[in-house]
Amino acid sequence: MNRQELYENIVRKESFLCIGLDTDMQKIPANLLKDEDPVFTFNREIIDATAAYCLAYKPNLAFYECRGITGWISFEKTIRYLKDKYPTHFIIADAKRGDIGNTSARYAQSFFEEMNIDAVTVAPYMGEDSVSPFLTYPGKWVILLALTSNKGSHDFQLTADKNGEYLFEKVLRKSQAWGSDENMMYVVGATQGRAFEAVRRIIPNHFLLVPGIGAQGGSLEEVCHYGMNKQCGLIVNSSRAIIYADRSPRFAQAANMAAKEVQAQMARQLKRLV
């Protein structure tokens, strides 16, 4: 899915919502635990209940890898289900990979060849050779961590050098030589507020993956005010606020309503582009 196709899907669905499938066995409804694959059952029902209102899904690999082979099976079944039933939805593997070149090449092979996923999150700390193997796949996307939503982002990302340049700004500027706005996005947390202005001064045209609305307290209105560009340029993620809106057997209906509410807010924001 290229940049123009992403934008066209946003306009068609009046949504730039990404739903994070951070599926935790300790949080899914108890009635599902008797199923052969509770995680996949939960994901399937969440997907069916919310697909009309979102642009993308983002499984977080930590919630699958922690369960070993069983978790990987749930992950692969989820990807296969999305590909078969909802082929126009963008799929992001939230894996935060990044290692020396030959290792990154194998990570890229895993996500882009074996599982045919659209995008993967990558940590840029090890530099160009750790990122470039992911950028060799036409039609696939690298999503670089730039300015994250967690409290610890202040430890490194918001430290400045002697010229006053923040580390996240250096990442944005340096990485422009590695890829383009046709194959590279950036993670910028919704909790960072007006820092989106600095981000957009450096990368006005790239898509941003924005976690942190909902349970983490980020403001959708603020993100759109400072971060939206002429083609929207945003994929805003919500995980817990949607998938755990209700932990009873009516969880899917609650997720449907939560996703519908966010989509309605996004539709209002998108009117700014008209």
Side-chain angles (χ1 to χ4, degrees):
M1 189 177 298
N2 62 36
R3 187 164 166 259
Q4 182 62 28
E5 289 169 335
L6 271 174
Y7 174 60
E8 290 171 359
N9 278 347
I10 288 170
V11 171
R12 178 175 56 84
K13 303 195 80 169
E14 295 186 294
S15 176
F16 45 98
L17 173 63
C18 174
I19 295 178
L21 298 174
D22 301 2
T23 308
D24 189 336
M25 285 283 285
Q26 297 180 0
K27 293 181 179 179
I28 65 176
N31 66 293
L32 298 182
L33 297 178
K34 66 181 183 298
D35 287 14
E36 180 182 353
D37 190 341
V39 168
F40 173 66
T41 300
F42 179 84
N43 286 352
R44 184 187 62 211
E45 294 201 32
I46 289 289
I47 290 165
D48 287 344
T50 60
Y53 305 112
C54 70
L55 173 78
Y57 289 97
K58 182 176 69 66
N60 185 322
L61 268 291
F63 290 90
Y64 301 87
E65 292 174 333
C66 69
R67 300 177 58 238
I69 295 297
T70 301
W72 271 104
I73 291 171
S74 300
F75 174 72
E76 290 188 301
K77 286 166 67 176
T78 299
I79 300 304
R80 196 179 310 120
Y81 187 74
L82 281 167
K83 289 286 183 183
D84 290 345
K85 191 169 182 181
Y86 301 101
T88 63
H89 281 68
F90 194 66
I91 305 175
I92 301 167
D94 191 0
K96 300 179 179 70
R97 299 298 196 250
D99 207 327
I100 60 172
N102 63 339
T103 306
S104 280
R106 294 297 169 255
Y107 283 138
Q109 179 183 356
S110 172
F111 292 112
F112 293 153
E113 293 185 36
E114 281 298 311
M115 288 176 274
N116 194 26
I117 288 171
D118 299 301
V120 61
T121 56
V122 177
Y125 187 77
M126 291 181 67
E128 181 181 6
D129 62 327
S130 70
V131 176
S132 58
F134 294 94
L135 293 166
T136 62
Y137 289 83
K140 303 299 185 181
W141 292 83
V142 167
I143 307 179
L144 282 186
L145 304 181
L147 184 56
T148 55
S149 58
N150 60 308
K151 181 180 177 181
S153 64
H154 291 259
D155 292 343
F156 299 111
Q157 298 163 29
L158 287 167
T159 56
D161 62 19
K162 62 182 180 181
N163 297 315
E165 183 181 46
Y166 290 116
L167 180 59
F168 83 86
E169 294 175 315
K170 190 181 297 292
V171 168
L172 294 175
R173 288 193 175 95
K174 184 72 174 178
S175 62
Q176 295 307 291
W178 306 347
S180 72
D181 58 16
E182 292 287 348
N183 65 358
M184 197 160 57
M185 305 183 189
Y186 294 90
V187 174
V188 180
T191 56
Q192 298 296 347
R194 294 194 64 169
F196 278 86
E197 289 182 307
V199 170
R200 281 305 187 201
R201 281 195 293 269
I202 301 169
I203 50 163
N205 299 319
H206 285 72
F207 264 91
L208 307 178
L209 174 62
V210 184
I213 69 162
Q216 294 186 57
S219 164
L220 178 63
E221 291 74 18
E222 191 172 44
V223 167
C224 293
H225 181 73
Y226 295 115
M228 189 176 278
N229 63 22
K230 292 180 180 180
Q231 285 195 314
C232 182
L234 301 171
I235 299 176
V236 174
N237 183 78
S238 181
S239 300
R240 288 170 286 172
I242 291 177
I243 68 173
Y244 301 130
D246 188 313
R247 290 165 64 179
S248 77
R250 293 180 55 82
F251 71 95
Q253 295 95 316
N256 172 280
M257 294 178 64
K260 184 177 181 180
E261 181 178 345
V262 176
Q263 183 273 328
Q265 296 171 22
M266 289 181 170
R268 291 192 291 271
Q269 294 296 326
L270 285 168
K271 290 179 180 179
R272 297 169 52 196
L273 302 180
V274 178

